Amino acid sequence: MIEIKDLVKDYDSTRAVDHLNLTIGKGEIFGLLGPNGAGKTTIILTLLGLSEPTSGSVTVNGWNATSEPIRVKKITGYLPDDVGFSENSIGLQSLVYTAMLNGIPREKAIESARELLEIVGLQDAADQKTKTYSKGMTQRLGLADVLIKEPQIMILDEPTIGIDPRGIHDFLDLIRKLSKEKGMTVLLSSHLLHQVQKICDRVGILVSGKLLAEGNVHDLADKLFGARETSFTVVADPVTDELIHKLQELPSVTDVKKNGTGFIVTGSKVAAPHISQTVVQSGAKLYRISGKEYGLDDIYQHYFEGGVNHV
Amino acid sequence: MSDKPAPFRVMVEKEIADHVRSWRFMILVGLILLTTSGSIYTILSVIRENPAELSAESTYLFLSLFTSSINNLPPFITLIGFLGPLVGIALGFDAVNSERNNGTISRILSQPIPRDYFINSKFSGALIVVFTLVFSLGFLVLGLGILYIGILPEFEEFVRILMFLLFTCIYIAFWLNLGITFSIIFRQASTSALSVLGIWLFFTVFYGMIVRIGTQAFIPNEAVANSLTLMLSRVSPDYLFNELTTVLLTPSIRSLGALSFEQVSETLPSTLPLGQSMLLVWPDITALIAGTLICFGISYALFMRQEIRA
């Protein structure tokens, strides 16, 4: 559905996007993860033909986004990160306006605007001025605004920014539900990884305009941390110096640190059975042993730390 | 009308609705109505009670409605020349930057419309508002005059007034475009408003003074100094407009510069026909239209090149 080939975008002297290649399939929810200034919005604007690439090409549904932006924009709904509605507009009215810009006649537009307002839970605020809306309401109106043109692709730039945690949950659920119901392709950018983790089929990590990794969350973790050490939290009693000494001598263990009720062991993945065996053999009671699985948090940390080094 | 709405039309309609409903526009209209009605009312009562008070050579009664000044009240033409640019600036100075700050611009531009629809609709919408305002105002004065004086304007008078209204619109469009241009350059609406107002003030108040002082100081020959002053003054759109409208509405003006005695001798002190008046101000007309178009061209080019998110 979306195909980005060798995309480069320069602003004056800075390179915002650096030889980016990315393909997003139909019906997929793709999360573009990256810190602020990584080039997420630039990529999105290029996808919509609102920004011209320095080199490379962007194809949406077979159309070149730079030379045929109107066709692309016809099937793509975009929710900008700083979405807003004009000062004196009324919720329902702004949706109707967007619909009419897409060639939907007024009567039909009013009808579908009412339906959509109900879906996003704004039916009671339909006739209120948009400037009285809270940030969360504005975002939901923005989502309705995206949906009213019945897009095949939804592009959401930082959709959860400024919404409270509960609101975020509902909002993302709504996005996932809508996309799965209607088979919509979704491209979602965020710097908040937990949200992306929750609803995305696949994520890409973008740092300084480069796509450092892509894949689903588990694959990414394996790819990155498979060879690395795992840490185990062990709760046991009593913890004696002798026990710690014994643990340190295990071939699969590299370090042992005491902590409160137990200790933290770093070592390879296969160390777990050896650790438990050692603890039990030393006569201590083993209450709990848990290995830490690397999630998106760590991936994020890993890359963003790396990202800082690159800069 | 087809049932599929044309996007451009929808956008222009929204622009017009936004302008007409804004407090800013209502305040300006109120201001214009108040000041002009004062001027028109005084003139009308003078015409009715003591027509001799009006200048004797003015044979066109309806034109004098627009140009006469009584009791130190400025005439309609001056008031419009003063308030018109304000209307243009008020409609234009935050055209683009307010949409940017509200976060609406990227939303609108992501709809399936060509990018220039945005700037074109801003311009067309405001221009339609200006046309409607100026022509309603002009016809209101005309109608009031007919009602009050009880005679109809001559055809030539009517055409002259139409021309005057048309050029007023173009003059306002000039300031409108300048406002839009600054609204693209500056992110802050207040910065762009102040810049356009600064330019406007400079041309209406200071430019004439500077030119006069400058030429008088450096050129001893009075005739040369005068013609140079005239030439330099015409750089100012304000001066162009005043010259243009004064000539159009005062058929007795026969020349824009100084005439020598040889040129004037043996001429009959008559008024000029419309065609001749138009010919006299043709350069002014051209310059004014060119200025308006140049301003629009600049704003168009700036907008098309500007990154949506800089």
Side-chain angles (χ1 to χ4, degrees), chain B residues 4 29 39 66 76 100 103 121 134 136 197 237 242 297 304:
Chain B
K4 233 185 171 193
V29 170
S39 156
F66 290 91
F76 183 85
R100 212 177 254 287
S121 70
V134 169
S136 331
L197 283 175
N242 283 334
M304 294 305 274

Side-chain angles (χ1 to χ4, degrees), chain B residues 245-264:
Chain B
T245 48
T246 314
V247 169
L248 273 179
L249 292 183
T250 324
S252 51
I253 295 179
R254 303 178 58 91
S255 156
L256 288 175
L259 288 177
S260 63
F261 276 115
E262 293 88 51
Q263 283 171 306
V264 196

Side-chain angles (χ1 to χ4, degrees), chain B residues 15 20 91 181 192 263:
Chain B
E15 282 304 315
V20 173
L91 294 184
T181 308
S192 94
Q263 283 171 306

Side-chain angles (χ1 to χ4, degrees), chain A residues 120-162:
Chain A
V120 298
L122 285 175
Q123 63 274 31
D124 297 329
D127 299 318
Q128 273 178 38
K129 286 203 167 181
T130 48
K131 66 178 167 193
T132 64
Y133 282 23
S134 69
K135 180 74 188 160
M137 288 163 86
T138 309
Q139 284 288 351
R140 279 185 280 154
L141 185 64
L143 186 65
D145 188 77
V146 167
L147 291 169
I148 199 159
K149 65 203 278 193
E150 295 173 356
Q152 297 175 30
I153 302 172
M154 267 207 286
I155 298 180
L156 312 169
D157 196 357
E158 301 276 1
T160 52
I161 214 162

Side-chain angles (χ1 to χ4, degrees), chain A residues 102-117:
Chain A
N102 282 283
I104 301 170
R106 186 182 291 275
E107 290 73 30
K108 190 169 174 285
I110 293 174
E111 201 180 300
S112 39
R114 289 229 178 266
E115 276 170 28
L116 280 172
L117 283 171

Side-chain angles (χ1 to χ4, degrees), chain A residues 9 51 73 84 97 102 145, chain B residues 14 102 104 107 109 111-112:
Chain A
K9 173 74 186 178
S51 184
K73 288 191 279 188
Y97 177 57
N102 282 283
D145 188 77
Chain B
K14 176 167 189 295
N102 279 339
T104 46
R107 206 167 47 80
L109 286 179
Q111 306 307 330

Side-chain angles (χ1 to χ4, degrees), chain A residues 8-18 42 51-55, chain B residues 307:
Chain A
V8 177
K9 173 74 186 178
D10 291 331
Y11 285 116
D12 296 327
S13 58
T14 51
R15 178 153 285 190
V17 180
D18 195 2
T42 308
S51 184
E52 276 183 31
T54 309
S55 72
Chain B
E307 289 285 343

